[in-house]
Amino acid sequence: MNLTLKIWRQKDSNAKGQMVDYKVTDISEHMSFLEMMDVLNEQLIAGGEEPVAFDHDCREGICGMCSMYINGEAHGPDRGVTTCQLHMRMFKDGDTITIEPFRAAAFPVIKDLVVDRTAFDRIQHAGGYISVNTSGNTQDANNIPISKHAADEAMDAATCIGCGACVATCKNSSAMLFVGAKVSQYALLPQGQVEAADRVRNMVAQMDLEGFGNCTNTGACEIECPKGISLDNIARMNRELMKAQF
């Protein structure tokens, strides 16, 4: 395939960015999207130009590092995949592909397609954990009975990889799907209920402090989420927050 790429280039967080056009040729439909970007960067380096900076790590849809807004969709036109799992067979020969970073005030651009998502880390640090007595008297987790339904729902929430697609696709740049998933995975289990009130209050307060918007109720976040995190987790977070107020 021969493609035209319109890519956001920005030297650093203080510089003014712009869209720059590139041509790539002989792209196999079996390549992943990031492999196509590798081809472009090899081409740029060979020509003495600065390669396009973009986040990536595992390239297996696990780490949540890759974060491209492709043709107006977080992670591109496929569903249930991250950018690294997106394949070029989703595009046609002669296509023009627009590639931008995730856009949100809480995700400032560092360079080109790389954004700073440490706001998510700070939300996690505010309450996304369980305090455990490690004195040697800790009860084995397998000794605590948990219903299959609660365990399944907690596991579904825990599949969130923190990529930020929910924020990028939301017109309010809301992080409520992310926070809802992190609150839910603990709220559904007995180990997480001891600190449940403090957890949800602190995490929601930090989310607001970071500048994320409120939920729009349009459900775009669930659709674009590569792990299919359900909107039910936002409802659960709201219920947990209401309980914590009393």
Side-chain angles (χ1 to χ4, degrees):
M1 289 188 292
N2 299 326
L3 303 166
T4 299
L5 307 178
K6 292 181 175 291
I7 301 179
W8 182 261
R9 301 302 308 265
Q10 186 172 335
K11 186 177 180 180
D12 54 49
S13 57
N14 297 316
K16 184 177 179 180
Q18 62 179 347
M19 301 298 291
V20 179
D21 290 0
Y22 299 100
K23 301 283 187 181
V24 287
T25 58
D26 298 324
I27 298 298
S28 168
E29 65 177 8
H30 303 298
M31 284 183 178
S32 73
F33 198 86
L34 294 191
E35 287 172 334
M36 182 275 295
M37 293 295 295
D38 291 338
V39 170
L40 171 64
N41 278 344
E42 288 173 2
Q43 178 180 307
L44 292 175
I45 291 168
E49 297 182 61
E50 182 80 10
V52 178
F54 60 91
D55 272 328
H56 63 96
D57 190 4
C58 75
R59 298 201 178 200
E60 294 179 345
I62 298 169
C63 69
M65 283 292 291
C66 52
S67 53
M68 296 184 192
Y69 207 68
I70 303 163
N71 285 350
E73 297 182 87
H75 294 306
D78 208 349
R79 288 291 171 265
V81 299
T82 54
T83 301
C84 63
Q85 295 174 299
L86 177 67
H87 281 80
M88 297 311 297
R89 55 180 168 268
M90 297 297 297
F91 304 94
K92 296 183 178 66
D93 182 41
D95 275 359
T96 296
I97 304 175
T98 302
I99 310 169
E100 301 173 83
F102 281 180
R103 302 286 190 184
F107 288 168
V109 174
I110 296 174
K111 182 178 182 180
D112 295 339
L113 304 176
V114 179
V115 298
D116 183 354
R117 286 172 286 180
T118 54
F120 273 8
D121 296 332
R122 291 187 289 272
I123 292 171
Q124 281 282 79
H125 295 164
Y129 54 83
I130 292 173
S131 300
V132 177
N133 179 355
T134 56
S135 64
N137 299 318
T138 310
Q139 184 177 0
D140 190 287
N142 291 328
N143 290 335
I144 304 172
I146 301 170
S147 72
K148 178 71 164 58
H149 180 69
D152 286 348
E153 287 201 321
M155 184 59 72
D156 288 344
T159 59
C160 169
I161 56 176
C163 65
C166 51
V167 174
T169 200
C170 177
K171 53 188 157 187
N172 279 358
S173 298
S174 173
M176 291 186 76
L177 192 68
F178 166 77
V179 179
K182 298 306 177 185
V183 167
S184 290
Q185 76 177 76
Y186 297 117
L188 287 161
L189 302 176
Q191 296 95 326
Q193 288 167 12
V194 178
E195 300 167 296
D198 287 341
R199 176 182 300 111
V200 69
R201 280 196 300 261
N202 293 340
M203 292 184 77
V204 170
Q206 187 65 40
M207 175 183 70
D208 292 340
L209 188 62
E210 296 293 343
F212 292 105
N214 204 358
C215 179
T216 64
N217 295 312
T218 57
C221 54
E222 181 179 351
I223 293 170
E224 299 288 355
C225 175
K227 300 301 177 182
I229 301 297
S230 171
L231 291 175
D232 291 347
N233 292 292
I234 296 179
R236 184 177 295 106
M237 179 188 70
N238 287 334
R239 290 194 298 271
E240 289 292 317
L241 185 60
M242 286 286 289
K243 285 193 295 182
Q245 305 305 330
F246 299 99

